């Protein structure tokens, strides 16, 4: 029999914790709730299970203290949280649960019946779906309303007396809950958090500053900081506890350029800090879940720890429930990324159950997207929409080419998701939409003279963004892709990218076209530029032309730039995918290829995770390659030849 876990309506756990997460942001001493629609868990649900037992036994349906309801055993109504006796034979157990605050959930652990993934659920009569559960909640004393973080004491590296207070330097960006003891209840104590020394000391301008009084001790929810400035007349004791998920790296990267390891490690640490209930954008300012940021996080996850659960949680939280009233995060492109990300999750894991369970919600989002297209079938800006793409100057006066290429990609992705779910007619309809849209895009946005896509309908202006997508998603022929590289990506007159977010997309496109060297050099100069300035995590935006505290400014705020942003973790993916050259060639990595590219490095060495705890290690220099994999189905391409990789055996090739 399976081990017992708490169970609930599939998706409710994620929606509940999404609400908690999106309601805890503060800036300048006031609450800052998310400005988009947040879906709630179902108030009443039904959990059901058919089972057999060889003899009479007793069980108890346990619920959290906020749940009411009843059990039905073979049609007989029985109370929750009390012993129930079932005789030998076949039975049907139904739990009807209601919860006004939180979400309905239940737990049974007995000789012949446990709550686990084999149960079904429904919020009303009709077709049931598999329940949601998590292995961390395996005791009747557990509470799924409390997210299973772990904690460890974080001690400051140094401290100074400054301006009537004490400045603590923890040596690196961190995310800690703070305990204060020994405060004078009659005085006001100030705690100012800073990703930089300047921010922590600037009590009036720091984004997060707390003014506390009336108590002798405090336990304060976790915040991001490297520097903590405490102003108190009392002799207080401060304890910082790092709050984290115990996600273990199953990857590393080293090469002949020693500075790259530090860059890779900094990117990996940045990603760990932002991998929490869901993938966050950044741990200081927003602490929200943004679909564009998350899309890149799905990719980094596959090349750092390959944990499918956090990706699923993030997709579910962003997806919410139908009917849809606005785009995801109110951003047009972010709705498209969510559908694309769900498909890429399936491609990486082969998790068909996930696709089928949540397909109705995905299809509803797709329908909402289609309902807001213009008369040409283009994505356009309606009231309440935010067309983002990137923090970059571009002509947004009409439908954007970049948006339409993402829409084209989404039509194709929906065709594949429909096929997984057995909807062949819908699949064909999506493919026809993709073909028709591609013809329109080439007619309206492709400038054959310039060999590039223009920004928007009727414009002559060219930026990198649509052209990067055209290459990255195989929208154009190889001939036109080469023209785009020559006319746009290698053209310094075209405005440069200034965010790690879109720099990542550009480097992926360049690597796809075989220019790994450019990506390696950009990692050294761009990401390395932040590390050289003392960054212990990767920033939201980096302009090498800025100096000093100018790097901290953004959104009109003196310290508005996040200095720990998940979308800065791109090199983890780039170096694993294109340098070590490990990539899947079939769903769930049933087959995969290792195609190392040295580029500017004299040697490369690393480890890349695969599904279910498997991994592959790679070493290569100009004369040899060594590959070891714990999984069957691998192929090495080296020196223009192919070699079979046998699981558990090191493959050594010399040329």
């Amino acid at each position: 029999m399976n081990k017992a876990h708490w169970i609930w309506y599939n998706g409710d756990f994620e929606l509940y914790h999404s609400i908690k997460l999106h309601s805890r942001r503060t800036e300048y001493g006031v609450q800052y709730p998310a400005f988009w629609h947040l879906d709630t868990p179902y108030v009443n649900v039904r959990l059901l299970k058919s089972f057999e037992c060889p003899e009479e036994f007793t069980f108890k349906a346990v619920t959290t203290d906020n749940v009411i309801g009843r059990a039905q055993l073979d049609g007989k109504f029985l109370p929750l949280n009390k012993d129930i006796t079932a005789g030998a034979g076949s039975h049907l157990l139904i739990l009807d649960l209601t919860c006004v605050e939180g979400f309905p959930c239940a737990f049974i652990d007995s000789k012949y019946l446990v709550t686990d993934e084999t149960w079904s659920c429904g919020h009303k009569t009709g077709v049931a779906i598999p329940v949601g559960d998590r292995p961390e909640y395996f005791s009747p004393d557990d509470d799924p309303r409390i997210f299973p973080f772990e904690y460890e004491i974080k001690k400051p590296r140094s401290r100074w007396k400054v301006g009537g207070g004490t400045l603590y330097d923890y040596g690196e960006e961190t995310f800690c809950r703070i305990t204060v003891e020994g405060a004078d209840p009659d005085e006001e104590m100030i705690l100012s958090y800073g990703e930089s020394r300047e921010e922590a000391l600037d009590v009036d301008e720091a984004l997060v500053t707390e003014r506390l009084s009336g108590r002798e001790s405090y336990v304060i929810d976790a915040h991001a900081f490297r520097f903590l400035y405490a102003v108190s007349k009392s002799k207080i004791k401060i304890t910082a506890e790092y709050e984290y998920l115990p996600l273990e790296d199953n990857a590393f990267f080293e090469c002949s350029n020693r500075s790259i390891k530090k860059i890779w490690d900094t990117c990996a640490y940045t990603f760990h800090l932002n991998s929490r209930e869901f993938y966050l954008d950044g741990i200081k300012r927003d602490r929200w879940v943004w679909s564009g940021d998350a899309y890149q996080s799905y990719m980094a996850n596959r090349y750092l720890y390959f944990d499918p659960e956090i990706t699923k949680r993030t997709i579910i939280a962003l997806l919410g429930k139908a009917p849809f009233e606005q785009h995801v995060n109110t951003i047009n492109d972010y709705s498209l990324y969510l559908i694309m990300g769900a498909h890429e999750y399936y491609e990486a894991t082969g998790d068909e159950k996930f696709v089928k369970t949540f397909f109705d919600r995905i299809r509803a989002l797709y329908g909402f997207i289609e309902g807001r297209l213009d008369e040409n079938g283009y994505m356009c800006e309606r009231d309440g929409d935010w067309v983002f793409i990137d923090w970059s100057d571009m002509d947004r006066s009409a439908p954007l080419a970049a948006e339409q290429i993402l829409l084209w990609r989404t039509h194709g992705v929906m065709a594949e998701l429909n096929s997984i779910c057995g909807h062949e007619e819908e699949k064909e309809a999506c493919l026809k939409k993709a073909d028709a849209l591609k013809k329109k895009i080439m007619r309206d946005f492709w400038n054959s003279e310039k060999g590039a896509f223009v920004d928007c309908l009727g414009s002559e202006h060219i930026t990198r963004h649509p052209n990067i997508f055209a290459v990255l998603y195989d929208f154009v022929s190889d001939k036109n892709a080469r023209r785009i590289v020559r006319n746009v990506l290698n053209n310094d007159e075209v405005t440069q990218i200034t965010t790690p977010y879109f720099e990542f997309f550009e480097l992926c496109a360049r690597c796809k076209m075989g220019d790994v060297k450019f990506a390696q050099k950009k990692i050294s100069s761009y990401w390395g530029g932040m590390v050289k300035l003392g960054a212990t995590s990767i920033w939201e935006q980096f302009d090498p032309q800025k100096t000093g505290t100018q790097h901290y400014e953004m959104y009109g705020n003196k310290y508005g730039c996040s200095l720990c942003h998940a979308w800065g973790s791109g090199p983890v993916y780039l170096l694993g995918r294109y340098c070590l050259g490990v990539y899947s060639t079939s769903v769930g990595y049933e087959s995969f290829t290792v195609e190392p590219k040295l580029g500017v490095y004299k040697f490369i060495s690393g480890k890349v995770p695969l599904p279910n705890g498997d991994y592959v290690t790679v070493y290569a220099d100009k004369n040899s390659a060594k590959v070891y994999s714990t999984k069957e189905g691998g192929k090495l391409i080296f020196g223009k030849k192919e070699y079979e990789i046998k699981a558990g055996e090191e493959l050594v090739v010399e040329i």
Side-chain angles (χ1 to χ4, degrees), residues 9 12 15 40-45 99 102-104 123 321-322 361:
Y9 189 90
D12 276 359
L15 296 183
T40 59
Y42 287 113
V43 172
N44 57 321
V45 303
C99 178
F103 60 100
H123 69 281
K321 297 189 298 190
R361 299 187 188 188

Side-chain angles (χ1 to χ4, degrees), residues 491-504:
N491 185 352
D492 290 339
E493 293 183 4
V494 178
T495 304
Q496 297 293 322
I497 304 296
T498 61
T499 61
Y501 174 59
F502 228 89
E503 191 64 66
F504 169 76

Side-chain angles (χ1 to χ4, degrees), residues 353-390:
K353 177 182 175 183
F354 172 79
V355 173
K356 290 181 176 179
T357 299
F358 290 97
F359 182 72
D360 284 347
R361 299 187 188 188
I362 295 171
R363 179 164 52 186
L365 176 60
Y366 180 63
F368 171 80
I369 292 168
E370 289 197 296
R372 294 177 75 82
L373 303 180
D374 69 9
E375 64 277 7
N376 295 310
Y378 287 151
M379 289 282 284
C380 61
E381 187 172 357
R382 305 287 190 186
D383 288 344
D385 291 350
W386 173 8
V387 176
F388 174 57
I389 298 297
D390 187 27

Side-chain angles (χ1 to χ4, degrees), residues 26-44:
T26 59
E27 285 187 14
Y28 304 117
V30 297
Q31 295 290 321
Y32 192 156
F35 53 81
W36 53 81
H37 175 78
L38 294 174
D39 283 303
T40 59
Y42 287 113
V43 172
N44 57 321

